């Protein structure tokens, strides 16, 4: 119950550096997890500010605040920072904190590698954000970096390529660590098919990462050699093929989408049973569904490229394979609903976020199914409909999933209950702000507004104004989130070990907050 | 530990339901309000019709599934609450249910895939065209080459800079006006060859249902057959650098006689 005594008891064999050294040289999964979480929150704010610049410029037709070139830098870097800086690291942070506690391990399998994975990120993002101040500015060709446009960019592109290599190395090492931890360090009795769903989704995500990130590394390296070393991989004039870049990029890019969403699925598969006070429905079909999604994610990539002029057979193949993904995804959604069915539900903030994630992600899932249909995609492609779609998936699925996880485990981490009332207000502000921001973008896209434009014709004005208003609300609401987390760190109602009366799993057998070293002797799982 | 729960869950689920109804009501009603820019613009070619019909079909199916699934979920949220005295059941598995909700989606997907496949086959058939226009994307303008008529021209934005910089009131077709319109005859199967000179662009006119990437070193082809005379406006759809938002397309669909007259005038001019 009281953490302090346990702390001293467990710490005697370890010499903790204090001050900055504690963090710089940390090999402790909890400290590294905390650093990942704070880092991703900082990136979330920076990426969010970039989005607000974009939305502010789009509030009215005409150019008011920024030049088109700077606008393109903002859209590009918003995406890169949100994907690689916020959405991916937040789940690595959660994995660091939770996986050892959930499988009954004392720490991650490779603690020093863990330290290096994290500490690659700050320099990587300093380099990426620093590219804004380089001659010619930051990359402005979209986060997809299609050549030949990305060949035209100044040295900012090279800085971004180097930064992405560092992020990629960080992700690969982090994933290797997670795989090694899960496969080798489970407590006795915890068979694979007894693992919590969050651990399962991360195991599969980690395999997706080690498979797809090297492909991205290859693509951007070819881009770099095309830019500086006289190769012509993507230059048609030299016998190269600009479309090949798109194939390689999306071979990484589509698994990436599932890298972002699967751990969030894992989180809500923990949270819904807890607050329904009922075991997860269809555990083994959940595991198989995640595995099926992961497999399919490698054979659907060209659905991002229906307009490049593929042969009919190619278009049909990618349409069918993409449609297939909705089957395992549907299974997951049905299982969550069945978990709630005839439960004994309460609606604390994590549960609200879990329901919100299922709901919002499903909207993104349905628009995804619409986008899968090649003939109608010819109209949706590269419009705001696509922007709405992936924000429902990435904000509505990944980011709300991350909020869900933070509220769920925050009492465990800090030993204090967060302010439930404020948590609920944060939930409603976020969900309402998110919908006002992104729902009108469906209409904009259908009515014909292309994406990635700094200025638009008059017919699109009203919905853009609405979207900008929603974005402002969404952005400001996150200050409340910061306040709630800070307040829980500083104090508040003491959390019990169990925290939630319906919670099950090894992490809830530990004190809240857990001492620095936990499960030094493995628990026995029956 | 028992948490203090200070809010009324039925009120909240009511709000969620009302909100959902609002969002989807707007979308369902959208065909009727096409002129307010909620849905596709009125199609004027066979391809655009195919796209529109398929889009509406899939949209309605998605909305129907959405309503059923989330109807069940929100009913459960309403009925199976601890505060209403609901006691948790123990079940965690049902093979029958899992078979049903795997098989039904498969059937739905097949019913979607059949018309989609037919549509795609029809759209990709560029044979037996009456004429060919080659379109080339440049940073940031379009070049049109009427290969059977010996006419070619560049077409770039004609919206005055002052309007973009907010120094002058914006015209009705702000950002969607060009110096040279693409004149095309109606009721002719026109093959469009699309390529680019520098970076990737995409030629897109929503009412024609025509969108294809313009890629340097590649020639893509699509076809169009316009039913109705009129002026149809579009834009470059693939990010192509700083002025990507400023390379519009204006198609003038005219009768065959008017088209011939236009061709003659171009040749003299
Ligand atoms: Cu262009």
């Amino acid at each position: 119950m009281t953490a302090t005594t346990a702390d001293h008891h467990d710490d005697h064999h370890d010499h903790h550096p204090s001050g900055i050294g504690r963090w710089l040289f940390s090999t402790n999964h909890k400290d590294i997890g905390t650093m990942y979480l704070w880092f991703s929150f900082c990136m979330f704010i920076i990426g969010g500010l970039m989005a607000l610049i974009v939305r502010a410029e789009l509030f009215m037709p005409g150019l008011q605040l920024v030049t088109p070139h700077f606008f393109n830098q903002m859209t590009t870097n918003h995406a890169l920072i949100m994907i690689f800086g916020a959405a991916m690291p937040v789940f690595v942070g959660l994995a660091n904190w939770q996986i050892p506690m959930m499988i009954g391990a004392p720490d991650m399998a490779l603690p020093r590698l863990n330290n290096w994975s994290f500490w690659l990120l700050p320099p990587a993002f300093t380099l990426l954000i620093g590219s804004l101040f380089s001659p010619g500015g930051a990359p402005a060709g979209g986060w997809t970096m299609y050549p030949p446009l990305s060949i035209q960019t100044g040295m900012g592109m090279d800085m971004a390529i180097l930064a992405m290599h560092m992020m990629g190395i960080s992700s690969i090492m982090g994933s290797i660590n997670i795989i090694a931890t899960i496969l080798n360090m489970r407590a006795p009795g915890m068979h694979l098919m007894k693992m919590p769903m969050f651990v399962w989704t991360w195991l599969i995500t980690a395999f997706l990462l080690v498979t797809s990130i090297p492909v991205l590394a290859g693509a951007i390296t070819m881009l770099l050699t095309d830019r500086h070393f006289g190769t012509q991989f993507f230059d048609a004039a030299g016998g190269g093929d600009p479309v090949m870049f798109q194939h390689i990029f999306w071979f990484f890019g589509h698994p990436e989408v599932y890298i972002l969403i699967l751990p969030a699925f894992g989180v809500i598969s923990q949270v819904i049973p807890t607050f329904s006070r009922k075991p997860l429905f269809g555990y083994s079909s959940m595991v198989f569904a995640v595995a099926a999604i992961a497999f399919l994610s490698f054979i659907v990539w060209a659905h991002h490229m229906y307009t490049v002029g593929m042969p009919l057979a190619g278009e049909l193949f990618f349409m069918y394979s993409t449609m297939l993904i909705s089957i395992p995804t549907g299974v997951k959604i049905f299982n969550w609903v069945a978990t709630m069915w005839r439960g004994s539900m309460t609606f604390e903030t994590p549960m609200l976020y879990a329901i919100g994630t299922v709901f919002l992600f499903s909207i993104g899932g349905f628009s995804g199914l619409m986008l899968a249909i090649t003939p109608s995609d010819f109209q949706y492609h590269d419009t705001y409909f696509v922007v709405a779609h992936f924000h429902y998936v990435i904000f509505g699925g990944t980011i709300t999933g991350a909020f869900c996880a933070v509220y769920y485990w925050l009492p465990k981490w800090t030993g204090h209950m967060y302010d439930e009332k404020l948590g609920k207000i944060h939930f409603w502000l976020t969900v309402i702000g998110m919908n006002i921001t992104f729902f009108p973008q469906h209409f904009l896209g259908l009515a014909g507004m292309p994406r990635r434009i700094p200025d638009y014709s008059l017919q699109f004005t009203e919905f853009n104004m609405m979207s900008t208003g929603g974005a402002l609300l969404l952005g400001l609401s996150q200050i409340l989130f910061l306040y709630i987390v800070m307040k829980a760190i500083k104090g508040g109602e003491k959390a019990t070990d169990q925290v939630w009366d319906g919670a099950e799993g090894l992490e809830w057998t530990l004190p809240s907050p857990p001492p620095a070293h936990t499960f030094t002797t493995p628990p026995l799982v029956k | 530990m028992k948490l203090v729960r200070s809010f009324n869950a039925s009120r909240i689920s009511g709000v969620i339901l009302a909100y959902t109804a609002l969002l989807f009501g707007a979308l369902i009603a959208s065909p009727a309000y096409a002129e307010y820019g909620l849905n596709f613009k009125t199609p004027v070619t066979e391809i655009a019709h195919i796209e529109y019909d398929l889009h509406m079909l899939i949209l309605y199916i998605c909305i129907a599934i959405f309503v059923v699934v989330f109807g069940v979920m929100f009913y459960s949220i309403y009925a199976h609450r601890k505060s209403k005295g609901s006691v948790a059941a123990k079940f965690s598995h049902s093979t029958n249910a899992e078979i049903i909700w795997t098989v039904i989606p498969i059937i739905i997907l097949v019913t979607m895939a059949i018309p989609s496949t037919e549509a795609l086959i029809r759209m990709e058939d560029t044979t037996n065209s009456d004429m060919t226009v080659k379109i080339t994307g440049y940073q940031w303008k379009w070049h049109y080459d009427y290969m059977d008529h010996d006419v070619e021209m560049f077409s770039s934005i004609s919206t005055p800079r002052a309007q973009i910089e907010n120094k002058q009131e914006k015209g009705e077709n702000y950002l969607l006006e060009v110096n040279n319109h693409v004149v095309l005859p109606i009721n002719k199967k026109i093959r469009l060859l699309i390529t680019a000179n520098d970076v990737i662009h995409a030629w897109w006119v929503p009412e024609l249902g025509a969108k294809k990437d313009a890629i340097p070193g590649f020639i893509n082809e699509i076809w169009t057959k316009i039913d109705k005379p009129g002026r149809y406006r579009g834009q470059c759809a693939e990010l192509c650098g700083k002025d990507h938002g400023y390379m519009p397309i204006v198609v003038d669909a005219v009768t065959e006689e008017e088209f011939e007259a236009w061709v003659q005038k171009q040749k003299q001019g």
Side-chain angles (χ1 to χ4, degrees):
Chain A
M1 197 54 210
T2 44
T4 35
T5 47
D7 237 336
H8 290 295
H9 170 74
D10 271 342
D11 274 0
H12 65 87
H13 58 86
D14 196 35
H15 28 263
H16 260 301
S18 52
I20 185 100
R22 170 179 169 189
W23 303 104
L24 263 176
F25 308 120
S26 178
T27 52
N28 179 295
H29 73 103
K30 299 184 182 76
D31 285 352
I32 293 175
T34 303
M35 290 195 290
Y36 264 110
L37 293 174
W38 278 115
F39 178 81
S40 60
F41 186 75
C42 293
M43 290 299 129
F44 181 58
I45 296 300
I46 294 173
L49 288 173
M50 290 177 170
L52 285 178
I53 293 173
V54 167
R55 284 308 331 162
E57 177 56 54
L58 290 173
F59 183 67
M60 282 193 300
L63 291 176
Q64 287 85 29
L65 302 171
V66 296
T67 62
H69 182 56
F70 189 75
F71 180 92
N72 290 343
Q73 294 178 43
M74 288 295 104
T75 52
T76 304
N77 285 276
H78 160 72
L80 290 172
I81 288 172
M82 284 304 200
I83 293 168
F84 293 98
M88 289 165 75
V90 70
F91 281 100
V92 181
L94 291 168
N96 255 293
W97 254 103
Q98 289 307 128
I99 288 177
M101 296 205 296
M102 292 171 98
I103 62 171
D107 204 307
M108 298 294 279
L110 310 159
R112 289 198 174 83
L113 195 74
N114 205 10
N115 174 291
W116 193 27
S117 310
F118 173 76
W119 280 109
L120 272 175
L121 291 180
F125 282 89
T126 309
L127 197 59
L128 178 66
I129 296 168
S131 71
L132 277 168
F133 307 100
S134 68
W143 82 282
T144 49
M145 302 173 293
Y146 285 0
L149 186 60
S150 54
I151 308 282
Q152 290 181 345
T153 320
M155 68 177 282
M157 191 71 216
D158 304 316
M159 294 168 76
I161 288 174
L162 189 55
M164 291 179 74
H165 271 306
M166 291 162 74
M167 295 166 206
I169 294 169
S170 160
S171 290
I172 292 170
M173 292 194 308
S175 308
I176 290 173
N177 206 349
I178 286 168
I179 295 170
T181 306
I182 297 174
L183 292 186
N184 295 306
M185 297 182 67
R186 296 192 309 281
M190 183 173 282
H191 313 297
L192 282 177
M193 289 309 280
K194 271 191 172 179
M195 291 197 309
M197 271 314 290
F198 180 70
V199 179
W200 252 118
T201 53
W202 244 118
L203 179 63
I204 290 172
T205 303
F207 275 104
L208 286 181
L209 276 163
V210 294
T211 320
S212 66
I213 296 278
V215 180
L216 172 69
I220 57 180
T221 305
M222 288 154 95
L223 212 52
L224 190 74
T225 60
D226 265 16
R227 284 168 57 81
H228 296 294
F229 305 114
T231 58
Q232 280 150 333
F233 291 114
F234 308 128
D235 180 3
D241 179 351
V243 179
M244 183 173 70
F245 177 86
Q246 299 185 21
H247 282 291
I248 302 172
F249 180 87
W250 286 113
F251 187 82
F252 145 79
H254 202 80
E256 173 66 23
V257 176
Y258 292 95
I259 288 163
L260 296 176
I261 196 67
L262 290 180
F265 284 178
V267 168
I268 50 182
S269 300
Q270 303 294 136
V271 171
I272 291 179
T274 296
F275 295 95
S276 304
R277 291 167 183 76
K278 200 166 145 273
L280 181 70
F281 186 90
Y283 172 88
S284 39
S285 70
M286 283 299 221
V287 172
F288 289 120
V290 175
I293 292 173
F295 168 74
L296 287 172
S297 76
F298 281 108
I299 56 164
V300 297
W301 74 89
H303 66 209
H304 297 269
M305 308 162 49
Y306 283 150
T307 61
V308 298
M310 267 184 289
L312 177 65
E315 290 179 326
L316 287 174
F317 171 81
F318 287 106
M319 175 170 78
Y320 299 148
S321 60
T322 306
M323 291 170 80
L324 271 182
I325 289 196
S326 53
I327 299 201
T329 312
V331 165
K332 294 194 75 71
I333 289 168
F334 301 141
N335 281 351
W336 288 320
V337 174
T339 306
M340 291 158 74
W341 189 256
R342 291 182 55 213
S344 176
M345 276 185 271
T346 54
F347 301 91
E348 291 85 0
T349 312
M351 183 60 162
L352 290 180
Y353 265 110
I355 295 170
T357 305
V358 176
F359 184 81
L360 297 172
F361 173 81
S362 297
I363 296 178
F366 281 117
S367 58
L369 180 57
M370 293 171 74
L371 285 158
I373 308 294
T374 317
S376 32
D377 178 72
F378 291 145
Q379 289 286 32
Y380 312 136
H381 183 77
D382 266 326
T383 68
Y384 260 83
F385 190 81
V386 177
V387 178
H389 158 71
F390 64 70
H391 281 98
Y392 268 87
V393 173
I394 297 180
F395 198 101
T398 307
I399 303 296
T400 57
F403 282 138
C404 175
V406 170
Y407 283 109
Y408 185 54
W409 283 309
L410 194 62
K412 173 58 64 188
W413 300 336
T414 63
H416 303 122
M417 298 307 293
Y418 58 87
D419 187 325
E420 190 64 57
K421 196 172 196 174
L422 290 182
K424 280 171 185 155
I425 294 174
H426 174 241
F427 168 77
W428 285 108
L429 288 176
T430 301
V431 167
I432 292 169
M434 188 271 173
N435 279 294
I436 299 176
T437 310
F438 299 116
F439 207 82
Q441 295 181 357
H442 289 115
F443 301 131
L444 285 173
L446 296 180
M449 179 167 163
R451 59 189 288 211
R452 294 167 162 172
I453 55 174
D455 192 0
Y456 49 82
S457 53
L458 304 179
Q459 53 179 321
F460 303 126
T461 311
E462 288 79 8
F463 282 132
N464 270 299
M465 286 185 166
M466 203 184 201
S467 182
T468 299
L472 193 62
L473 174 66
L474 185 58
L476 290 176
S477 310
Q478 305 322 315
I479 299 170
L480 180 62
F481 176 69
L482 180 64
Y483 173 77
I484 295 168
V485 171
M486 293 305 294
K487 199 175 154 191
I489 292 172
K490 289 225 179 76
E493 189 193 337
K494 277 249 161 279
T496 59
D497 295 355
Q498 169 89 9
V499 183
W500 313 108
D501 63 347
E504 274 178 38
L506 289 176
E507 77 263 42
W508 309 109
T509 63
L510 293 169
S512 304
H517 297 280
T518 43
F519 292 129
T520 35
T521 35
L524 191 66
V525 181
K526 281 181 275 320
Chain B
M1 191 189 78
K2 178 112 172 65
L3 278 161
V4 186
R5 298 192 318 103
S6 60
F7 83 110
N8 179 338
S10 71
R11 205 183 72 223
I12 289 189
S13 51
V15 171
I16 299 173
L17 275 176
Y19 197 59
T20 320
L22 187 79
L23 293 177
F24 283 85
L27 200 58
I28 290 168
S30 51
Y33 294 95
E35 59 272 37
Y36 297 112
L38 290 170
N39 204 347
F40 286 176
K41 287 176 189 147
T42 316
V44 297
T45 64
E46 183 192 335
I47 284 181
H49 270 290
I50 293 174
E51 290 166 347
Y52 182 88
D53 293 343
L54 206 51
H55 157 69
M56 292 315 293
L57 172 74
I58 310 284
L59 179 63
Y60 284 132
I61 294 176
C62 286
I63 291 172
I65 303 171
F66 192 92
V67 168
V68 171
V69 173
F70 286 92
V72 172
M73 190 180 90
F74 284 113
Y75 172 77
S76 178
I77 288 174
Y78 167 76
H80 305 142
R81 274 178 290 135
K82 197 181 176 194
S83 60
K84 288 187 92 184
S86 175
V87 179
K90 293 272 177 282
F91 68 89
S92 66
H93 186 73
S94 160
T95 311
N96 285 341
E98 292 180 63
I99 289 172
I100 290 170
W101 66 49
T102 309
V103 171
I104 292 179
I106 291 176
I107 295 169
I108 296 174
L109 287 185
V110 171
T111 59
M112 289 177 173
I114 292 168
S116 306
T117 305
E118 285 170 356
L120 199 57
I121 290 170
R122 178 81 187 115
M123 291 164 85
E124 293 291 327
D125 178 16
T126 50
T127 54
N128 298 319
S129 61
D130 300 312
M131 60 179 273
T132 299
V133 180
K134 184 175 160 222
I135 303 171
T136 310
Y138 287 76
Q139 285 173 316
W140 291 273
K141 58 190 176 223
W142 294 100
H143 180 263
Y144 298 92
D145 183 357
Y146 290 73
M147 300 180 81
D148 310 301
H149 302 88
D150 210 18
V151 169
E152 56 178 308
M153 66 191 184
F154 276 100
S155 172
S156 48
I157 189 166
S158 61
T159 300
R161 198 68 216 166
Q163 288 188 15
I164 295 169
E165 287 163 357
N166 307 308
K167 290 171 187 149
Q168 193 184 70
E169 208 187 331
K170 294 178 174 51
E172 189 196 348
N173 293 310
Y174 175 68
L175 295 190
L176 296 178
E177 44 205 351
V178 296
N179 53 3
N180 292 316
H181 294 191
V182 192
V183 178
L184 295 175
I186 57 168
N187 300 326
K188 292 264 179 215
K189 184 167 181 177
I190 304 161
R191 188 168 66 130
L192 302 172
L193 300 180
I194 299 177
T195 186
N197 195 49
D198 35 45
V199 301
I200 302 175
H201 304 263
W203 197 82
W204 181 34
V205 180
E207 283 137 310
L208 307 190
K211 183 189 283 152
K212 204 70 161 181
D213 288 358
I215 303 170
F218 285 73
I219 295 177
N220 275 326
E221 56 176 3
I222 50 175
W223 66 272
T224 190
K225 192 173 179 182
I226 307 171
D227 304 331
K228 255 190 4 201
R231 184 161 289 170
Y232 308 114
R233 296 171 197 273
Q235 281 175 275
C236 175
E238 177 67 51
L239 178 61
C240 57
K242 74 178 171 65
D243 285 344
H244 163 56
Y246 303 100
M247 47 185 296
I249 297 151
V250 181
V251 172
D252 280 353
V254 298
T255 60
E256 203 181 342
E257 301 78 60
E258 287 170 310
F259 176 72
E260 290 303 334
W262 176 79
V263 167
Q264 288 313 316
K265 212 176 118 209
Q266 293 297 307
K267 281 185 172 162
Q268 289 151 13

